[in-house]
Amino acid sequence: MFKTTFFKSVDIAPLIVFRIIFGFLVAMESFGAILTGWVKKVFIEPEFTFPFIGFEWLQPLPENGMYLYFAIMGILGIFIITGFYYRISIAFYTLLWAGVYFMQKTSYNNHYYLLLLISFVMIFLPANQEKSLDVKLNRTIRKQTMPNWIRMFFIIMIGIVYTYAALAKFYPDWLDGTFTKNLLLTAPLFNCISKDSFIYDLFNQKWFYLLIAYAGIFYDLLIVPLLLFKRTRTIALISSLIFHLFNSITLQIGIFPYFALSFALFFYPPEKIRRLFLRDKEYITSQEHYNYQNRNVFYFLFIPFLTIQLLLPLRHHLIEGDVLWTEEGHRLSWRMMLRKRSGYISFRIVDRKTDQSHIYNHYDKLSSKQHTQIATKPDFIWQFCQKIKSEYADRDISIYVNCKNAINEKKHLIFIDPEYDMAKAEWNYFTHNEWILLHEPDKVFLKE
């Protein structure tokens, strides 16, 4: 059973088509980031970025260097499409995208994380063994088959994403439609429509935002099982198209809807993918019943990688407090489009020698998006306190934070202990940070 499931020889067509789509999407993401001003807004205009803790050494290139950085990623996307020096191109792209991902988290998105994971795994897959310049230039041997575990990887990976996304939605404000209502009423599309329009009225209907809430849960829970079975596969694909196009139009979340749709390639019979996309009649069924190509990748990458992906989203259960409030364990866990967080913050500096204090002006040092993040994310707060501390390195100071947060426009509660000296605070990745105050869930979701 194990041998049949994972090492059966199958047509490589889904992986080849996925490579072409993947390359197209990352090229569009890279060039689009330049053209839409995203690179300028995130990397060039801010005085400093908020990298992942431990990656403070990773800083944007000076002046207009980040434009060149993203242009190179776009060109690498084209190389991936064409299969030109594929392994070098995908490896270099992964390295550069990892830099973008860890260099800043102000514009964190789950699909950036998924993109990083998939591009890393693609380094080790034979995605250039057909329909590639590498084959035409005799840089690699043409092969039309691959081991079935490669298909299984993509199916299991997207299954993990959707399952954890569904489970995270089982909390009061999702189940009663509070969050989906807030999400729809603040979506970019909503700001562009007239108050007299049908869409404006529709977005304000209780039945509609409840429909969206429960449709989201059922979609995430059922889409992978429905795609697995032939009888339900077509209706599942149509549902996916509707779901992701709706998200793309209303929420404007970049390439993610199309990236997620591309995983459907691995649910269909590989020969059908060849007929539909490659128009290749030269395919000859392999005489080899089993394919042990990349066996070491299966044992030493595939299994450990997916094991980590199964366990990592569960880490917040080992940390004291509710992740919806503390944010500890929120990232890397597929907790997507889950809540609206708002808050305000101020920093008070106390000179320990003179006992004099003043409010630190952080507004002039941050972009508008950074203002939002620093008021609601504990790691941003800790990092900014480290920056303040370095600015006052020649003085003995204490830093006290006045910060209140609200979840889904509910009651504002104290987020950071106002009596804790943040100049002495430490950051813990896998345990609760004692300077984050805990509240009972019924208080967090209590209306003003």
Side-chain angles (χ1 to χ4, degrees):
M1 179 66 177
F2 179 87
K3 184 178 178 182
T4 304
T5 301
F6 292 101
F7 290 103
K8 180 177 65 175
S9 185
V10 297
D11 192 341
I12 202 172
L15 182 62
I16 302 303
V17 178
F18 183 83
R19 182 205 81 214
I20 295 168
I21 294 174
F22 181 87
F24 175 77
L25 290 176
V26 300
M28 292 301 99
E29 179 87 354
S30 302
F31 292 130
I34 297 172
L35 297 174
T36 61
W38 190 86
V39 172
K40 181 180 180 182
K41 188 185 299 183
V42 174
F43 293 106
I44 297 175
E45 290 181 344
E47 183 177 321
F48 63 96
T49 61
F50 286 88
F52 276 71
I53 293 173
F55 288 86
E56 288 80 8
W57 53 272
L58 198 56
Q59 294 296 318
L61 297 176
E63 298 179 352
N64 292 324
M66 292 308 293
Y67 288 129
L68 176 62
Y69 189 104
F70 273 78
I72 291 173
M73 287 201 298
I75 293 170
L76 290 171
I78 296 172
F79 285 0
I80 294 168
I81 294 172
T82 57
F84 181 63
Y85 283 87
Y86 168 73
R87 291 197 187 275
I88 295 174
S89 298
I90 188 68
F92 194 22
Y93 172 81
T94 302
L95 181 65
L96 292 178
W97 183 249
V100 171
Y101 181 79
F102 291 111
M103 194 184 299
Q104 66 82 34
K105 54 180 183 278
T106 303
S107 294
Y108 176 87
N109 274 312
N110 278 280
H111 83 260
Y112 296 163
Y113 176 47
L114 182 61
L115 197 62
L116 178 61
L117 295 179
I118 297 302
S119 63
F120 171 72
V121 172
M122 288 283 285
I123 296 172
F124 305 95
L125 302 184
N128 64 330
Q129 291 186 345
E130 196 175 5
K131 302 298 179 183
S132 71
L133 289 176
D134 283 346
V135 169
K136 289 189 175 183
L137 297 172
N138 295 317
R139 296 197 68 256
T140 191
I141 300 172
R142 184 190 184 197
K143 291 183 180 179
Q144 293 184 307
T145 62
M146 65 180 179
N148 194 50
W149 69 260
I150 293 177
R151 285 182 64 237
M152 296 298 296
F153 165 78
F154 288 97
I155 291 171
I156 295 171
M157 187 66 236
I158 200 65
I160 290 172
V161 172
Y162 282 127
T163 300
Y164 280 118
L167 294 177
K169 291 178 173 67
F170 284 92
Y171 81 99
D173 279 8
W174 188 283
L175 298 176
D176 68 10
T178 297
F179 173 71
T180 48
K181 178 183 179 181
N182 293 338
L183 180 67
L184 290 171
L185 296 183
T186 56
L189 175 65
F190 189 78
N191 297 325
C192 301
I193 58 179
S194 168
K195 291 184 178 181
D196 298 324
S197 68
F198 168 75
I199 295 178
Y200 186 93
D201 183 61
L202 182 66
F203 278 21
N204 278 281
Q205 296 294 321
K206 183 176 181 178
W207 67 265
F208 183 72
Y209 55 76
L210 281 173
L211 173 66
I212 296 299
Y214 284 90
I217 292 176
F218 285 115
Y219 177 84
D220 289 344
L221 279 177
L222 299 176
I223 190 60
V224 170
L226 291 175
L227 281 169
L228 284 171
F229 294 98
K230 183 177 180 180
R231 289 187 176 183
T232 55
R233 192 171 291 141
T234 300
I235 193 169
L237 180 61
I238 294 171
S239 299
S240 290
L241 285 168
I242 294 171
F243 178 82
H244 286 298
L245 290 176
F246 176 82
N247 286 342
S248 179
I249 294 168
T250 58
L251 304 178
Q252 297 178 13
I253 48 177
I255 67 169
F256 178 70
Y258 311 99
F259 187 36
L261 280 169
S262 67
F263 283 79
L265 290 164
F266 298 98
F267 289 87
Y268 281 84
E271 296 79 9
K272 186 170 185 176
I273 298 301
R274 179 175 293 276
R275 290 196 304 270
L276 288 174
F277 292 96
L278 301 183
R279 305 286 182 178
D280 191 349
K281 298 180 180 180
E282 298 178 8
Y283 174 68
I284 302 173
T285 304
S286 173
Q287 298 300 312
E288 298 179 354
H289 190 60
Y290 296 107
N291 188 327
Y292 294 102
Q293 182 184 11
N294 302 99
R295 191 190 318 190
N296 288 337
V297 174
F298 173 79
Y299 287 114
F300 300 109
L301 177 66
F302 173 83
I303 294 177
F305 183 93
L306 288 180
T307 301
I308 292 170
Q309 291 307 311
L310 280 168
L311 296 177
L312 197 59
L314 298 174
R315 72 191 187 281
H316 71 86
H317 292 293
L318 303 177
I319 303 174
E320 186 181 6
D322 187 341
V323 62
L324 275 166
W325 173 254
T326 67
E327 293 284 313
E328 295 169 309
H330 175 83
R331 294 193 189 95
L332 318 184
S333 300
W334 313 116
R335 303 177 62 82
M336 300 181 284
M337 306 294 287
L338 200 59
R339 77 281 181 266
K340 179 183 179 182
R341 196 177 185 104
S342 58
Y344 55 85
I345 191 169
S346 64
F347 300 87
R348 183 167 63 92
I349 313 299
V350 178
D351 189 314
R352 294 171 64 86
K353 286 187 177 180
T354 65
D355 205 32
Q356 292 183 335
S357 66
H358 69 277
I359 300 299
Y360 184 89
N361 182 13
H362 63 281
Y363 293 98
D364 295 339
K365 299 179 181 293
L366 303 173
S367 68
S368 59
K369 194 163 188 177
Q370 287 175 331
H371 283 152
T372 302
Q373 300 287 8
I374 201 174
T376 57
K377 302 294 191 298
D379 52 338
F380 278 73
I381 295 170
W382 182 84
Q383 284 180 297
F384 198 72
C385 287
Q386 301 309 300
K387 177 174 174 56
I388 295 174
K389 187 178 176 180
S390 66
E391 287 184 20
Y392 289 81
D394 59 339
R395 293 163 63 180
D396 185 14
I397 64 167
S398 294
I399 305 171
Y400 297 99
V401 173
N402 176 33
C403 180
K404 286 189 175 183
N405 274 200
I407 307 295
N408 297 330
E409 301 182 0
K410 298 293 180 67
K411 185 176 181 179
H412 279 82
L413 299 173
I414 299 174
F415 186 41
I416 304 298
D417 186 346
E419 297 181 3
Y420 198 102
D421 184 359
M422 291 297 292
K424 299 177 180 178
E426 296 182 352
W427 177 258
N428 298 304
Y429 257 117
F430 296 101
T431 59
H432 174 62
N433 291 280
E434 61 183 357
W435 38 270
I436 302 174
L437 293 182
L438 301 178
H439 298 282
E440 294 297 326
D442 58 340
K443 290 185 178 180
V444 172
F445 299 112
L446 184 68
K447 292 183 179 181
E448 292 280 13

